[in-house]
Amino acid sequence: ASPYIGSNIMSGALNQINSLGNPDSYYYSFFGYSGEIDLSLDHNDVRKGVLYPDTDFKLVQTTDGFKVTDIHGIQYYFEDVATGTRSNLNIVKNSWFLSRIITPQGGTVTFTYEDEDYIDLRNEHDNMYFNRIYTKRITRIDSDYGYVVFNGVSRGDLPGTKRICSIEQFDAEGNL
């Protein structure tokens, strides 16, 4: 699947902020919320972001990514980063995946991913080099009430990736 599809991903190179301080725009989609993020640098060179249309949400930079707090106080951490290299060998961060959710009552949900990459053969880039796509595939979700495991098998159409072939749900005691 494309790294730009899914409800658990903040797409775009959020680490590439315009040095002139003009806002850069990116897209977000998680748990039924979607829209555009405008990032800019404040007077102290700290990243500042506004989510549209969810302008009441608060976006702050963390050590490993970003935290979004919604109007109900639920905190969404996007700290699982898909990184890779382009044909010019520059390391880029292309997506921040949802890594955990914390509710105001103290409930926690954590997400586990497996790195995947494949070559996008649809377009040539930079003198016959193809674009390598770096993404993640969800493998597990843990909560206070149990966990879900997403089992994968290799995909024939995209070597280096897997598709979800089955899902197992376990209760807090580990019973299937």
Side-chain angles (χ1 to χ4, degrees), residues 16-32:
Q16 297 176 356
I17 302 298
N18 186 325
S19 62
L20 299 175
N22 295 327
D24 290 332
S25 294
Y26 304 96
Y27 297 98
Y28 68 93
S29 178
F30 64 97
F31 280 89

Side-chain angles (χ1 to χ4, degrees), residues 53-168:
D54 300 300
T55 56
D56 292 338
F57 288 18
K58 183 179 178 184
L59 173 75
V60 296
Q61 186 175 357
T62 65
T63 303
D64 298 320
F66 296 89
K67 176 179 78 171
V68 174
T69 304
D70 73 11
I71 58 175
H72 306 290
I74 299 172
Q75 299 172 359
Y76 302 89
Y77 289 83
F78 295 87
E79 296 178 326
D80 211 327
V81 182
T83 60
T85 57
R86 291 191 177 147
S87 57
N88 61 5
L89 302 180
N90 290 330
I91 295 175
V92 295
K93 295 179 179 178
N94 62 6
S95 301
W96 277 258
F97 287 74
L98 183 60
S99 55
R100 63 189 156 120
I101 301 171
I102 300 175
T103 68
Q105 298 80 15
T108 302
V109 178
T110 57
F111 299 82
T112 304
Y113 302 91
E114 185 173 294
D115 291 331
E116 292 188 342
D117 66 271
Y118 60 94
I119 296 175
D120 183 359
L121 298 175
R122 294 175 299 175
N123 299 309
E124 283 184 21
H125 299 281
D126 301 327
N127 299 323
M128 304 281 298
Y129 290 101
F130 291 100
N131 193 25
R132 183 169 289 279
I133 304 297
Y134 296 89
T135 188
K136 293 183 178 282
R137 181 181 45 81
I138 188 112
T139 58
R140 185 173 167 136
I141 301 173
D142 289 88
S143 77
D144 301 332
Y145 302 104
Y147 59 96
V148 177
V149 175
F150 299 88
N151 299 306
V153 296
S154 294
R155 290 180 57 164
D157 59 335
L158 287 175
T161 65
K162 293 181 180 179
R163 64 179 173 83
I164 296 172
C165 64
S166 66
I167 300 172
E168 298 173 315

